[in-house]
Amino acid sequence: MVLSTKWSRLLTMVPLSIGILAAAIAPVKVYAAPNVNVATSQSAEGRWTTGDLHVHTFESNDAQTGLETVLDQAFDKYNLDWVALTDHLRLSERDDEGEKIEGGPIPFSQGMNEYQVPKIKELQEQGKYEGKTIFSGFEWDMPTHEHVGVGIVSDEAHSEEALKAANQFEYLFTNRDASLFDPLDVAKWEKEDDRAYETHEDALQAVEWLKTNYPNTSYAILNHPSRIVGKYTISDIREFNDLAPNIMFGLEGMIGNQMEPDRGGYNTEYDKTNPSADSKSQNRSYGGVDAMVAKLGGEWDALLGEGRHIWNYANSDYHFKTIGTNSSGYLPGEYAKNYVFVEGEGMQAVLDGMRSGKSFAVNGDLIDALDFSASEGSEKEEMGGELEVSQGDDLTLTIRFKSPETNHYENPVNSGVSANVAPKVDHIDLIAGDITEKAKPGTDAYNKATNDSTKVIASFTEKDWTTDAEGYHVIKYDMKDMNKDQYFRLRGTNLGMNVPGETVNGEPQLDPKIEIEDAEERFNAINDRNYEDLWFYSNPIFVDVQEESKFTDIDTHWAKEYINNLAAKNVIQGFPDQSFRPEQTVTRAEFASMLVKTMDVKTTSKSITFADESDIPAWAKSDITAAVNAGLIQGYEEHGKTYFKPNQKITRAEMSVMIFNALKDTNLPSDGELERFKDADKIPNYAKSPMESIVSAGIMNGYSDETIRPARTATRAEAAKMLIQYLEISG
């Protein structure tokens, strides 16, 4: 067998065991316990499990595989721990074995009750799938939107109550003819609820129904959210999550149906009502991942940036793999996996684990174990958790991961012959974004689909990690002086930072469509494309920074965050009466001292002499000396002498020059920003270039009347903001 050249770099064997981590879990907060290899031990409180949320059988009319075959593949061949079956909540023409239903078609919820669940119980009674969790959910066509994976769980697996609830849901929230349901049930249901299956408001009513009747035992996960542009807008997702955060808590970012020529079938027409829509990119996948999750600072980051517990999941969306000249998706567990930490047994335990956020999603078995935590002192949280720290605290982020010895790549596809490819992580990105308050309905922020603060703060390659005694690769990263609420998440890939057609500066690119006429050749090309381009995504850790303001007069001031941050760094102080006086103007001596402390400029023995030396306050002398020696500020030449004028109020122009000098080693932008200000001609010549860069970098802003006011004396609040912005730019 000969592999294509592009695969040669993937064939390096990585001899790691396939063990997964163990730890302890609580439903929302996550507490770490020692990590152990699952092959030898499991934590008494819980265990890591693998599963698939989205699988079809013959009871979906567009699927081509029987129930038992699907379960055999998922559990016996690919060793999943749990599977959520999600046949379409539509009319079914066939039973679980593909036989045409006499008198059919029938509502799927009826087929679930008459065929799927009895068959599952029969197989389990025969001793099959021991220790595995099988759950019958369904894929609902949400009115005016796209597909949603819905589950209604019960203490007893597949209880009559849960099956009846699915039947009621199908009656209420689809357009099935009432004659297809039990008349006694219909009469009862009509008294309780109105049918709703046409509008967005009807979709909300269905979610409300789940929340009212099954608040802790149901879920609704958004499927392939970007497959049809505009079917799920960011405001839709916010609205669903606001309504039922315990139910609408996830989306399938690691999309299924990856054996299609377009990964996930993301080839539908773009929204023609939007003239600016890009038909070539809006509804495509990036590295096999939905754009909402794959785009740095995109929709998922916008939601996480409000502190929303909305998690990313993988799935197969399996209907069939290849039949004749057609292809659809990989088998459950073959390519896509969710790793979820579970406490207890059964689907309710899986649901609780999913809801906690302690999970990660992987394609192509790039990794099979991940421990991602944030700690401050003795306090520690993991994926899905929220860590509280005090302003100015240092944070340690720890990443531990493994990859299996081989994945399931075959060449040729469907040959059953492993290509013995060892998946190898090229690099892991640590991504951070700021957290603000939740956007409010009716505001522009509710429709904003980006988080502009999101960035990759570090990328780690094998030179950055060590390997511990258990074979885990270990990375530690310190965040100094935490001063704002943030979330941290991981993204890893087998690709380099700049791979033609795949990555640019580490960002995944649009997946190519495979257009080859010969079916077998096309199947192999699709399979190669998918295994060449592997990613994993972790769910985030939220860090809540507790502000400890010591000033009495800034509680409602716009600069409160900046002032508190600088105070925590001991850059600024208040007055004896515990006030800060944010609108008081700043002298040259005061700002020189602030900037030196912000930069942590070291004092030197080199002295300076000004003609007005006696006017310099004693507390400022060493800082002014350091500022002058560092080239941050100069004096005034008058009558053959140099004056510092320490008590003169500093202007916005002067302050810009000082910060510009502090950033002399930074490549600042210069984008012609000053041209938009009415008073740009009043900027002194010495300050024009510095102010251009400082304004373009976002360190200084203009006023609402479109002026920049270079000669205006700066306030203590303005100085605090500019210094914090300087810190962010300088890193």
Side-chain angles (χ1 to χ4, degrees), residues 242-387:
D242 285 340
L243 175 61
N246 210 38
I247 293 168
M248 301 289 280
F249 59 81
L251 50 84
E252 292 182 346
M254 311 284 277
I255 56 180
N257 279 329
Q258 299 241 3
M259 275 299 295
E260 292 205 17
D262 283 301
R263 295 178 85 166
Y266 274 39
N267 58 358
T268 50
E269 289 189 12
Y270 70 105
D271 183 0
K272 293 180 179 178
T273 65
N274 178 6
S276 64
D278 181 356
S279 63
K280 295 181 179 178
S281 65
Q282 277 205 352
N283 56 351
R284 297 290 293 280
S285 58
Y286 294 74
V289 180
D290 187 284
M292 286 191 181
V293 171
K295 286 285 192 177
L296 187 70
E299 284 93 337
W300 192 34
D301 285 311
L303 297 166
L304 297 179
E306 298 174 60
R308 293 179 184 270
H309 287 196
I310 295 181
W311 316 127
N312 168 59
Y313 299 106
N315 74 98
S316 65
D317 198 1
Y318 175 73
H319 292 69
F320 58 90
K321 188 174 180 181
T322 62
I323 294 179
T325 61
N326 299 315
S327 58
S328 176
Y330 290 98
L331 284 152
E334 181 181 8
Y335 186 74
K337 284 190 178 76
N338 292 297
Y339 285 82
V340 178
F341 195 83
V342 170
E343 181 184 64
E345 303 295 333
M347 191 60 196
Q348 183 63 54
V350 172
L351 174 56
D352 292 340
M354 289 169 51
R355 196 175 275 140
S356 78
K358 189 173 179 181
S359 64
F360 59 97
V362 186
N363 279 342
D365 293 299
L366 179 59
I367 63 172
D368 63 354
L370 177 66
D371 174 17
F372 175 39
S373 64
S375 60
E376 188 282 316
S378 61
E379 298 298 318
K380 179 178 176 181
E381 288 290 351
E382 299 183 78
M383 291 173 284
E386 182 174 309
L387 181 68

Side-chain angles (χ1 to χ4, degrees), residues 357-613:
K358 189 173 179 181
S359 64
F360 59 97
V362 186
N363 279 342
D365 293 299
L366 179 59
I367 63 172
D368 63 354
L370 177 66
D371 174 17
F372 175 39
S373 64
S375 60
E376 188 282 316
S378 61
E379 298 298 318
K380 179 178 176 181
E381 288 290 351
E382 299 183 78
M383 291 173 284
E386 182 174 309
L387 181 68
E388 288 188 359
V389 301
S390 297
Q391 198 166 51
D393 281 349
D394 295 340
L395 188 71
T396 298
L397 297 165
T398 303
I399 305 164
R400 299 175 74 243
F401 71 96
K402 278 186 179 183
S403 296
E405 293 182 354
T406 61
N407 58 20
H408 300 298
Y409 172 64
E410 298 174 350
N411 189 290
V413 70
N414 297 329
S415 66
V417 178
S418 172
N420 290 318
V421 170
K424 184 177 180 180
V425 175
D426 178 86
H427 67 275
I428 293 175
D429 294 324
L430 175 60
I431 296 170
D434 296 349
I435 301 174
T436 59
E437 293 183 354
K438 283 187 179 179
K440 293 180 172 55
T443 64
D444 290 341
Y446 211 68
N447 298 316
K448 186 177 182 183
T450 58
N451 182 343
D452 301 331
S453 71
T454 307
K455 62 184 71 174
V456 175
I457 60 173
S459 292
F460 309 105
T461 63
E462 59 184 345
K463 66 181 177 59
D464 300 307
W465 56 68
T466 59
T467 303
D468 65 16
E470 296 176 299
Y472 289 88
H473 301 311
V474 182
I475 302 163
K476 287 188 178 293
Y477 185 81
D478 293 329
M479 296 286 296
K480 299 292 187 181
D481 296 327
M482 289 295 296
N483 54 44
K484 56 186 174 181
D485 296 346
Q486 288 185 292
Y487 64 88
F488 300 91
R489 64 181 179 88
L490 303 177
R491 175 184 68 184
T493 181
N494 64 331
L495 295 168
M497 298 295 289
N498 291 283
V499 177
E502 302 284 7
T503 57
V504 175
N505 295 325
E507 293 305 309
Q509 300 301 292
L510 279 170
D511 289 315
K513 182 174 182 178
I514 305 298
E515 297 182 286
I516 299 173
E517 186 172 345
D518 179 76
E520 289 302 318
E521 186 181 349
R522 183 173 69 253
F523 297 158
N524 281 304
I526 290 170
N527 196 46
D528 288 353
R529 172 200 65 190
N530 296 345
Y531 274 97
E532 185 183 32
D533 186 11
L534 301 179
W535 297 79
F536 78 81
Y537 285 72
S538 82
N539 281 321
I541 302 169
F542 299 102
V543 178
D544 180 12
V545 178
Q546 301 295 306
E547 291 186 8
E548 296 182 1
S549 178
K550 55 186 179 183
F551 305 119
T552 59
D553 57 346
I554 65 169
D555 283 348
T556 60
H557 197 278
W558 63 265
K560 175 182 177 181
E561 178 184 346
Y562 305 112
I563 294 166
N564 281 333
N565 287 349
L566 281 185
K569 301 176 189 302
N570 295 316
V571 170
I572 54 177
Q573 296 178 339
F575 294 88
D577 64 355
Q578 309 241 312
S579 66
F580 180 75
R581 305 177 194 175
E583 297 305 313
Q584 183 171 302
T585 52
V586 179
T587 66
R588 284 167 51 83
E590 288 172 333
F591 191 72
S593 179
M594 288 181 189
L595 183 56
V596 164
K597 287 183 170 63
T598 301
M599 295 176 65
D600 196 22
V601 176
K602 304 302 180 186
T603 57
T604 67
S605 58
K606 183 179 179 181
S607 61
I608 55 171
T609 302
F610 291 106
D612 55 350
E613 188 81 22

Side-chain angles (χ1 to χ4, degrees), residues 669-675 687-697:
S670 184
D671 301 332
E673 285 289 316
L674 294 184
E675 297 175 2
K688 282 185 177 178
S689 179
M691 286 196 80
E692 176 74 47
S693 293
I694 294 303
V695 171
S696 295

